[in-house]
Amino acid sequence: MQSSGTTDAETVFYSVLFDTGETYMGDLDLAAGSIRSLRQLPRPRGQTDGPISWSADGKRLLINRSSEESLGTPILHDLESGQERPLDMPD
């Protein structure tokens, strides 16, 4: 487990790195020392998730998503709505 960032409200975000190409979210229960409500974020068939970064406000994830056709496309995932959109890379 590693710290992935903090917000101005002093919320700390953590990530665990696995080589599965999947992204999971859960609620960290410090008192119980466990993760609750673990759920997998959906992704299109045939694609894998790579490195992920939290936004400073903790409301979005930046996901590097790969497939056989693409080595990586940056995807912005909104945690509240579940909506995703690809980000254009600068030239």
Side-chain angles (χ1 to χ4, degrees):
M1 188 179 297
Q2 69 183 24
S3 175
S4 297
T6 60
T7 66
D8 292 337
E10 299 181 0
T11 301
V12 179
F13 299 99
Y14 287 90
S15 61
V16 179
L17 301 176
F18 293 102
D19 192 22
T20 63
E22 300 169 344
T23 301
Y24 290 85
M25 297 284 302
D27 301 316
L28 183 62
D29 183 339
L30 292 175
S34 65
I35 299 173
R36 301 188 186 278
S37 304
L38 191 63
R39 58 210 175 273
Q40 183 179 0
L41 292 183
R43 67 179 192 287
R45 177 178 231 114
Q47 296 188 4
T48 59
D49 291 347
I52 297 170
S53 298
W54 289 92
S55 64
D57 61 8
K59 295 180 180 180
R60 292 173 297 280
L61 292 174
L62 179 63
I63 303 170
N64 184 30
R65 191 162 283 155
S66 301
S67 67
E68 288 185 12
E69 296 84 32
S70 170
L71 293 177
T73 301
I75 304 292
L76 193 62
H77 178 92
D78 185 280
L79 294 172
E80 185 175 317
S81 69
Q83 297 291 316
E84 293 187 346
R85 66 177 177 89
L87 295 180
D88 295 327
M89 296 299 292
D91 294 328

